[in-house]
Amino acid sequence: MTTKNVQIRMENELKEKSDELFNNLGTSTNEAIKIFLSTAVRTNGFPFEITLDKPNTETKKAIEEAYAIQDGKIEAQVYDTVDNFMKDLRS
């Protein structure tokens, strides 16, 4: 099998941290990159999930609560004035 050189540029700090990480895992950054590319080709995509920022626990809870309100499973607190809302919010 013939081989081809590939060059990538990265910040020194990233290179040093990746070298240390992969050395601790018993391999090299170069081997890790080859593993990444081989897995990407085999799976026909990124070998890990690509997502936007995931909501934290508090946000997930708020989303679930909003769906429960929407589905009529729980009642939403209703305020007749902004002042009442702010009083409740601050308490």
Side-chain angles (χ1 to χ4, degrees):
M1 174 192 277
T2 60
T3 62
K4 187 169 247 182
N5 287 333
V6 176
Q7 289 183 318
I8 60 171
R9 292 183 117 3
M10 66 180 78
E11 295 154 350
N12 287 334
E13 184 179 353
L14 177 59
K15 177 69 165 97
E16 290 168 5
K17 286 181 177 182
S18 65
D19 285 344
E20 182 180 353
L21 169 67
F22 295 119
N23 184 53
N24 289 335
L25 293 170
T27 191
S28 65
T29 299
N30 190 51
E31 278 300 312
I33 292 168
K34 287 194 276 187
I35 291 168
F36 168 83
L37 294 174
S38 296
T39 305
V41 168
R42 183 173 36 82
T43 61
N44 201 30
F46 281 94
F48 46 81
E49 183 179 5
I50 303 291
T51 62
L52 298 175
D53 291 336
K54 293 183 180 179
N56 62 27
T57 303
E58 184 178 359
T59 302
K60 287 179 183 178
K61 186 176 178 182
I63 292 169
E64 290 171 7
E65 182 180 356
Y67 281 128
I69 291 168
Q70 177 183 345
D71 295 341
K73 295 177 181 174
I74 61 173
E75 279 195 43
Q77 177 66 45
V78 179
Y79 300 93
D80 54 352
T81 68
V82 172
D83 287 336
N84 288 340
F85 168 72
M86 295 304 292
K87 286 177 190 174
D88 190 35
L89 185 64
R90 291 183 181 125
S91 62

